[in-house]
Amino acid sequence: MASSTTTTGTERVTAENVLRLFPDIDTRLASTATSGDNDLAGYDEEQIRLMDEVCIVLDEDDKPIGSASKKVCHLMKNINQGLLHRAFSVFLFDSKNRLLLQQRATEKITFPDMWTNTCCSHPLGVPGETGAELDAAVQGVRHAARRKLQHELGISPTQIPLDDLKFLTRIHYKAPSDGMWGEHEIDYILFIKAEVDLDVNANEVRDTAYVSADELRGMFDNPDLKFTPWFRLICHSMLFEWWEHLDHGLEKYEGETRIRRM
């Protein structure tokens, strides 16, 4: 089933509104267990376990309100009422300026089998990955990015220096995966150029590929390939321009303070 992307609603996402609609959000950054949850019946055991992770719940200005489990944050019934969380998307390029893509594993609960950027996930509501102001939040997502690059692709943190993860901008988007699950995120875009060794976690990643810009355009022309909605949004709006400036001039795109509403 092909995914589609929807624009964000007009109702303001404020702490007051979110806490009124979702009184079970734990503002002390605690999670709620998903064991025995009917919503998750039939899914992969490891992916169910990961649904207990604690996402950072935000208002529309990217200010943390508290936390809720990954499961709570990704249910469309909650997303459609305005529940919003923080995320990141890593774009890793090799020495030939090829972008490392991954195809998400079949076991994934959201957007299974779809091609996407190198790594896309969430900073957790744990020390070192949170942050209320932009500088602190960027450092938090950098730490989270290194954690997930190792978890999904087996890339050693020693090959990903924190300062080499260049923060470009944030996008705010909403997209369904299927009738039950979806995404509603403020997504931090991180670029890095590095030579890395892969040891892929098959429970997370089905396939990988290094591609040139022209090869990626060709993939989009292939109707048999499916792409995550955030990756498609970024590609069709900003990616190729950033890519052209990877070696010269990327700094003019770094550190954008406004949030791009998609």
Side-chain angles (χ1 to χ4, degrees), residues 89 104 111 116-117 120 173 183 228-234:
S89 287
R104 292 164 66 87
F111 308 100
T116 194
N117 50 287
C120 10
Y173 78 96
E183 291 285 10
T228 60
W230 62 87
F231 183 52
R232 187 179 289 275
L233 276 173
I234 295 165

Side-chain angles (χ1 to χ4, degrees), residues 86-230:
R86 185 174 287 166
F88 64 83
S89 287
V90 176
F91 292 76
L92 186 150
F93 301 85
D94 68 5
S95 59
K96 298 178 182 178
N97 286 356
R98 297 178 303 173
L99 174 62
L100 177 60
L101 304 181
Q102 68 156 277
Q103 184 182 22
R104 292 164 66 87
T106 303
E107 290 82 358
K108 298 290 282 187
I109 293 171
T110 58
F111 308 100
D113 300 311
M114 293 188 184
W115 284 93
T116 194
N117 50 287
T118 312
C119 180
C120 10
S121 190
H122 315 91
L124 302 181
V126 297
E129 295 190 11
T130 60
E133 302 304 320
L134 182 58
D135 287 348
V138 168
Q139 282 300 101
V141 298
R142 283 171 171 156
H143 283 287
R146 289 212 301 184
R147 171 177 57 80
K148 288 301 290 184
L149 284 165
Q150 184 173 36
H151 174 229
E152 294 184 3
L153 295 164
I155 299 174
S156 171
T158 61
Q159 295 182 316
I160 307 291
L162 277 183
D163 290 342
D164 288 356
L165 286 162
K166 306 300 184 185
F167 165 67
L168 273 61
T169 190
R170 295 168 287 176
I171 65 168
H172 177 189
Y173 78 96
K174 179 168 68 174
S177 175
D178 55 23
M180 180 176 291
W181 307 102
E183 291 285 10
H184 187 203
E185 300 179 329
I186 292 181
D187 189 13
Y188 284 61
I189 310 303
L190 301 174
F191 266 37
I192 185 169
K193 188 171 179 177
E195 290 295 322
V196 297
D197 300 309
L198 302 181
D199 183 12
V200 172
N201 178 351
N203 189 255
E204 291 286 327
V205 177
R206 177 175 168 180
D207 199 2
T208 61
Y210 279 100
V211 297
S212 68
D214 285 341
E215 287 169 336
L216 180 55
R217 291 186 179 99
M219 290 177 70
F220 278 115
D221 291 335
N222 185 341
D224 294 329
L225 300 180
K226 305 300 180 185
F227 298 88
T228 60
W230 62 87

Side-chain angles (χ1 to χ4, degrees), residues 31 49-55 68-70 124 147-148:
S31 65
R49 185 188 68 79
L50 292 172
M51 280 297 201
D52 280 337
E53 290 183 333
V54 181
C55 291
S69 71
K70 184 177 173 183
L124 302 181
R147 171 177 57 80
K148 288 301 290 184

